[in-house]
Structures are given as C-alpha cells and as structure tokens.
Amino acid sequence: MKSFISPVTVISGPGSIARVPEEINKFGASKVMIFADPGIVKIGLVNKLENLLAYASIEYVIYSDLEPEPPLEVGDRALQALRESQADFVIGMGGGSSLDIAKAVAVLSANDGRVQDYLNLTGTKQLTNKGLPKMLIPTTSGTGAEVTDIAVFSLETTKDVITQPLLLADIAIVDPELTYTLPPSITASTGIDALTHAVEAFISVNATPLTDALAIDAIERIAANIRTAVWDGANMAARQELSWGSLMAGLSFYNAGVSGVHALAYPLGGLFKLPHGVSNAVMLPYVFDYIWPSCMKKMARMAQALGVNSEHLSVREAAIAAVQALNQIVLDTGVPRTLKDYQIKREDIETLASEGIKQKRLLARSPKPYTIDDIRNVYLAAFEGSLQLGT
Ligand SMILES: [Fe+2]
C-alpha cells in the first residue's frame, strides 16, 4: 500500500506571477517576508514581485542574505530574521536553496530551537507547529522544491535535510516567464536535476502508476526540450515545456522519492561544493549504468520517453540505450561529466564512498542495492568517465 500526496495549490503558466497579491490576500496577511537569493535580486526578477505587492498595497520586506547549497548558519540567520520581522506570510523566490530556506524557516519560526535540531540524520526534535503560510516561486526549472516537503542543508562533508509534511508550501506559483533569462549553464544543471528527479522516481521501489505517469511525461518533455532551452534560451516554447517537466518531476519524486544519484551527489556538494544540479549531472549516467539490469522493463520504457527509437531493440538493448541517452543529454548540455573535471582526485573516492553509504533514506529506494564496494565503483566510473553499457 502506498500513498500519493499533493496538497499544494499550484498556479502555473506564463504570467501566473500576477496572481500573487490575490493569493496572499486570501490569508489576510499584513506583512510579507520575501526570501530571495542575491542573484535574482541583482538581475531584477524580484522587482516584478515588488511591483505587484506595492500596487496591491501589501507591506513586504526582502531578505537576501542567502547562498546556494546553504550551510546551517545561513538557515539560522534567516530564521532569526523572520522571528524578529513580525511578518505573517513568507515567500520564497529563486532556485531551490531560497525555496528550501523559506519553507524551513516559515515552519521553524513557530517551533523551538534551530535548524540542526530538526535534521533527518542527526536531529533530536520533532516539528509540531505549522508556522506561517508560505508561497514558493521557482525561478529555475529544476529543483521541484515548490512541491516537496524537503529542505536541504550543507554540512561539512555531506548534506542533510529537514523533511516533514509541514514544510509543504500553501501555494506554488510556477511561471516559466521567470526562467527566460537563465544562462545556459544554470538551465542545463537545473534541467538535469529535474530530469534526475523524474528518472529516479520512475525506477524507485516506491513508484506507483500515479508517480509513473507524472515521471514519464516529465522525462519526455525534458528530454525533448532541454537542449533547445539551454542553447536557445529565448525559445519560450522550450522553456515552458521544461517548466512543466520540472513541476511534474517534482510531484512524482515527492511521492516516489529519489535514490542513488542524489545519494552519491550529496557528498560531492558537501565535500567539494559542487552545485546540486551539477553534482547530479556528473553521477547520473554512472548510477544508471549500475542499476539498469535491476529494472530493465522500466528502463526500456524510459528509453522511448528519452527519444530512443527502440522498435528493433530487445528489452535489454533498449535499457542500455536509455543509459546512453542520459549520458548524451549531459554531454549535449555542456555539463562536465567526470569527477576529474572538478579537480576531484582518485584518493578522494574513499571518503566520498563512506559518506555516500550513509544516505540510507535515499539508497533504500533503489531497485538495485548498494554495498560500499558498489558505491566506490560507481564513483570510480564517474572519475574515469567510463560507462560499461552491459559489456
Ligand atoms: Fe534534486
């Protein structure tokens, strides 16, 4: 028996940001605190939101002391600022990190303690109060953070999360127009993060026909449009398709979960500060090169969704072709695809493996189990850039 949960109101489509004031007013809020990373403040994306709030006479304050892959202290400072602000509504706007901070502090503001008290691996407290109402506005097509209950934080050597249904947004505004100015490298890494959510949800042991339907549609849309969105960023149709793909991937993985790619990517973020999407991209082909024999039928279906013409292929051949297609997407979108490219050394693999095996919550969803040796070998393949492809 499995459950499917999606209590977030999602308002989507080009121009949907215009709905923000109306949605805030439904909560009778008197002061809004906006958590937005400095990058999107600088390029003027937050101005759009400010103009809407000012026109509707909604009082707001902007907090932008944020950074990607936030360490615990960034979360604690944001929490302190919210507790002192007297705001009664929270907006998170930006990439996944800004959305994660917003949803975490909105809940923590009504609970005792600080961020580390509630971490999945080492926390000691349980969240009990819902906290402030929250709206999440992604400006990338990638993380799915607007529809999940997970907030990720960087620790010294790896990452940990707060994951609790109270973290779910009340409203998500998914407006592809906000992604039109993203540069190629961010479009690529966040788009591959979204693709990773979809393919990992699809082969998860917790997948259901509901999550599969969302995942396979997301894979089709992302695979067919990510190259265009990266290299021809002004192509609005491709941006919109990527936005839908990211949203559907988010809804799918919130329920089915992600597994090996994210588990092995986390230490790359923790130890070497690789951005989340980049660390997933560099592991994606090698993890699927390891797991495909355990889920061949699904991999063969995935191959079709990835655009492979598998008419004359056996199930095994189609499954391998799916791994190749994932590798090709990483290659075509220009994301470096070996650990060497990030100055990671062969002797670092032991530490990476010992951190990766700790991500039991994620690894438990993999259709093929991992030993520490398996994890070491996957990292080694990613280091060398070598795919086995069934040989
Ligand atoms: Fe992710």
Side-chain angles (χ1 to χ4, degrees):
M1 199 175 354
K2 287 161 182 167
S3 57
F4 183 93
I5 304 166
S6 183
V8 181
T9 299
V10 180
I11 299 167
S12 55
S16 48
I17 195 170
R19 281 277 295 274
V20 167
E22 185 184 331
E23 295 302 320
I24 292 174
N25 285 334
K26 286 180 186 168
F27 289 83
S30 61
K31 185 177 179 185
V32 175
M33 190 157 195
I34 302 167
F35 292 89
D37 58 75
I40 70 152
V41 174
K42 196 173 156 199
I43 62 171
L45 270 185
V46 178
N47 286 347
K48 272 192 172 192
L49 179 61
E50 286 187 89
N51 292 341
L52 288 164
L53 296 178
Y55 190 72
S57 303
I58 296 172
E59 189 186 346
Y60 66 89
V61 4
I62 297 174
Y63 181 92
S64 64
D65 181 17
L66 302 177
E67 55 188 86
E69 325 301 322
L72 297 174
E73 50 274 22
V74 169
D76 285 330
R77 281 203 302 271
L79 175 59
Q80 189 64 24
L82 179 60
R83 282 179 173 150
E84 290 167 4
S85 70
Q86 297 183 331
D88 54 5
F89 193 95
V90 167
I91 293 181
M93 186 177 189
S97 302
S98 305
L99 307 193
D100 281 4
I101 291 281
K103 58 185 159 177
V105 298
V107 178
L108 263 65
S109 66
N111 292 271
D112 291 338
R114 49 191 186 146
V115 174
Q116 71 177 42
D117 298 330
Y118 298 95
L119 290 175
N120 180 260
L121 296 177
T122 55
T124 52
K125 292 186 178 182
Q126 295 294 325
L127 293 166
T128 49
N129 299 318
K130 180 177 185 302
L132 299 177
K134 48 200 175 300
M135 170 187 282
L136 301 179
I137 311 174
T139 59
T140 65
S141 291
T143 65
E146 67 277 10
V147 288
T148 69
D149 68 358
I150 308 158
V152 187
F153 292 92
S154 292
L155 309 181
E156 206 131 290
T157 53
T158 187
K159 293 188 174 186
D160 199 356
V161 300
I162 300 178
T163 175
Q164 221 275 2
L166 290 173
L167 264 66
L168 282 172
D170 295 277
I171 305 152
I173 305 276
V174 183
D175 185 342
E177 288 183 359
L178 302 174
T179 70
Y180 289 175
T181 53
L182 279 182
S185 62
I186 307 286
T187 305
S189 60
T190 53
I192 290 175
D193 186 26
L195 177 65
T196 305
H197 296 153
V199 293
E200 292 216 278
F202 189 59
I203 53 82
S204 165
V205 297
N206 291 334
T208 67
L210 272 171
T211 58
D212 283 354
L214 289 161
I216 213 74
D217 196 304
I219 296 167
E220 280 172 359
R221 284 177 204 267
I222 297 167
N225 292 282
I226 189 168
R227 295 168 177 88
T228 308
V230 168
W231 300 118
D232 177 18
N235 187 312
M236 289 184 276
R239 293 284 196 189
Q240 287 169 23
E241 287 293 282
L242 213 55
S243 176
W244 278 116
S246 167
L247 175 60
M248 285 189 286
L251 288 167
S252 183
F253 97 82
Y254 173 50
N255 286 278
V258 288
S259 54
V261 180
H262 276 73
L264 272 56
Y266 275 180
L268 295 174
L271 285 163
F272 298 101
K273 310 305 168 205
L274 266 61
H276 179 67
V278 168
S279 58
N280 276 325
V282 76
M283 296 312 300
L284 176 65
Y286 310 102
V287 168
F288 275 82
D289 196 31
Y290 168 72
I291 62 170
W292 69 265
S294 68
C295 49
M296 284 208 298
K297 271 192 184 163
K298 280 208 145 174
M299 291 296 294
R301 175 71 186 91
M302 189 193 296
Q304 291 175 328
L306 288 165
V308 173
N309 182 355
S310 56
E311 215 175 312
H312 302 293
L313 300 180
S314 67
V315 171
R316 182 179 183 277
E317 287 166 337
I320 293 169
V323 179
Q324 283 174 306
L326 292 173
N327 187 52
Q328 198 63 49
I329 287 175
V330 179
L331 199 64
D332 292 349
T333 51
V335 185
R337 34 178 293 289
T338 75
L339 297 183
K340 280 181 192 168
D341 293 325
Y342 298 98
Q343 283 72 54
I344 295 167
K345 299 189 176 59
R346 188 182 287 270
E347 52 265 34
D348 296 323
I349 289 176
E350 202 51 50
T351 316
L352 287 168
S354 61
E355 289 297 331
I357 195 90
K358 289 181 189 164
Q359 297 292 339
K360 297 197 185 317
R361 179 183 66 92
L362 301 176
L363 294 173
R365 300 173 186 140
S366 171
K368 188 173 174 186
Y370 289 85
T371 64
I372 184 87
D373 287 341
D374 298 327
I375 290 178
R376 199 181 289 118
N377 287 338
V378 174
Y379 277 126
L380 195 58
F383 175 78
E384 298 284 4
S386 62
L387 291 171
Q388 303 289 316
L389 300 173
T391 58

